[in-house]
Amino acid sequence: MVQISGINDRFLQKEVVLSEIMRVMEPDLKFLNMIPFVDSGGQPVPYAKRGSSSGDAKKQTPRLITPSSKFPEVQFTKITKTVALTKTEGLAIRLDKDAIKLPAGRDMIMDGYQNAGYWLAEYINSQIYTNLRAGGTDAGIAPTAAWSAATATPVRDVTVFKNAFKREGYPYRLTDAFVDLTNFGEAEG
């Protein structure tokens, strides 16, 4: 790797790169306030998973009490402990040599950070939505039409989406569905 130095070196420092890209990303991360932060320290994140109550192999049914009888003793299948592995994904930015040497290069560098930040935020939003949707009971959740269309049923769309997340055995419940401000305006109008 060839090392190049110039008047714009300071814009290539890790602290500047991260702060610039995060500054661009943060307003666009739509789910940021809905998902709790977990500091994994680079290690797998352990969590517990409970199976379906109705499908529990140890499921009991109540029986009639008669003199000198007892209720059946109830046991439950243990909660399964599993781990989620964190992964690192990102983008590499290739800058022109002139971006480092020329005074106008700062704008070229910042433009690269702007695009990378936007693309990362868009990718993260898409991945979070895909994973949230995978937890629903209906794989075919889709709006009836664009909400700006005359045939749209936005209230029905959001209701179907919310109801798809009522799942037995899962502690997660989707009570607040994110609706983009532009789409919300279309729904109101």
Side-chain angles (χ1 to χ4, degrees):
M1 181 174 174
V2 178
Q3 199 67 356
I4 297 175
S5 61
I7 60 173
N8 291 323
D9 281 351
R10 67 184 183 274
F11 298 111
L12 303 177
Q13 302 302 317
K14 181 171 69 170
E15 295 77 19
V16 175
V17 174
L18 291 176
S19 67
E20 279 301 309
I21 289 180
M22 285 306 297
R23 181 185 62 76
V24 171
M25 287 176 63
E26 192 170 4
D28 288 333
L29 291 173
K30 308 299 184 187
F31 296 97
L32 191 62
N33 295 327
M34 297 175 80
I35 297 175
F37 174 76
V38 175
D39 185 6
S40 68
Q43 300 298 315
V45 179
Y47 66 97
K49 184 176 180 181
R50 180 183 301 277
S52 167
S53 294
S54 66
D56 193 331
K58 296 183 179 181
K59 182 170 93 172
Q60 297 284 330
T61 55
R63 71 172 190 215
L64 184 64
I65 287 292
T66 57
S68 75
S69 70
K70 296 182 181 178
F71 287 121
E73 187 174 307
V74 178
Q75 295 180 8
F76 306 100
T77 303
K78 292 183 180 180
I79 294 174
T80 307
K81 288 187 181 178
T82 187
V83 294
L85 297 176
T86 56
K87 60 184 177 182
T88 302
E89 297 174 315
L91 301 169
I93 302 172
R94 182 181 300 263
L95 299 169
D96 190 279
K97 291 179 195 177
D98 292 339
I100 299 166
K101 294 180 179 179
L102 300 176
R106 178 189 179 277
D107 292 336
M108 294 166 66
I109 294 169
M110 292 302 156
D111 187 54
Y113 295 163
Q114 180 83 24
N115 284 332
Y118 178 79
W119 292 338
L120 283 168
E122 187 177 59
Y123 175 77
I124 290 168
N125 286 335
S126 175
Q127 291 299 306
I128 290 173
Y129 178 74
T130 299
N131 288 321
L132 286 173
R133 189 171 162 178
T137 57
D138 181 3
I141 303 167
T144 52
W147 287 359
S148 56
T151 58
T153 56
V155 174
R156 181 190 167 281
D157 293 341
V158 173
T159 303
V160 167
F161 186 74
K162 182 189 75 165
N163 289 337
F165 286 89
K166 291 180 180 174
R167 239 179 134 168
E168 184 185 349
Y170 284 76
Y172 172 73
R173 298 286 184 265
L174 183 66
T175 55
D176 298 318
F178 170 78
V179 178
D180 182 73
L181 189 59
T182 303
N183 297 123
F184 185 68
E186 291 172 355
E188 287 182 319

